[in-house]
Amino acid sequence: MPSSVLEAIKMGIWDYEPTDTASNSFDSTNALPGTSEKLDILAARLEKGLPLWHPSDRRTFDDNEATRSFSL
């Protein structure tokens, strides 16, 4: 059984979904979508077998730490 999406792709498993991971077990990011910083964070999550998206990740330019909801 693969431990990450990358490993699944290498094995030819195209419908792999990572196991559910509680959002409090990995950090959210304030990096703007589309920036190299955000892409680096997504790549690191992918390599670790974590979900790509955290519910508290920054989603828009206007979305910032002061206005985001941090309820988990």
Side-chain angles (χ1 to χ4, degrees):
M1 183 61 145
S3 61
S4 72
V5 173
L6 288 177
E7 198 173 293
I9 291 170
K10 289 177 185 177
M11 296 170 70
I13 302 170
W14 300 103
D15 59 352
Y16 174 78
E17 288 293 330
T19 57
D20 286 336
T21 304
S23 60
N24 63 354
S25 65
F26 66 106
D27 295 328
S28 63
T29 179
N30 198 35
L32 281 167
T35 61
S36 350
E37 179 185 7
K38 179 73 174 234
L39 295 174
D40 290 344
I41 290 165
L42 294 176
R45 288 178 183 170
L46 185 71
E47 288 174 357
K48 293 176 184 174
L50 294 169
L52 287 178
W53 316 114
H54 188 285
S56 295
D57 280 350
R58 186 172 185 173
R59 295 180 183 188
T60 67
F61 179 78
D62 293 328
D63 186 21
N64 63 42
E65 245 178 272
T67 61
R68 275 191 281 152
S69 167
F70 286 97
S71 60
L72 300 173

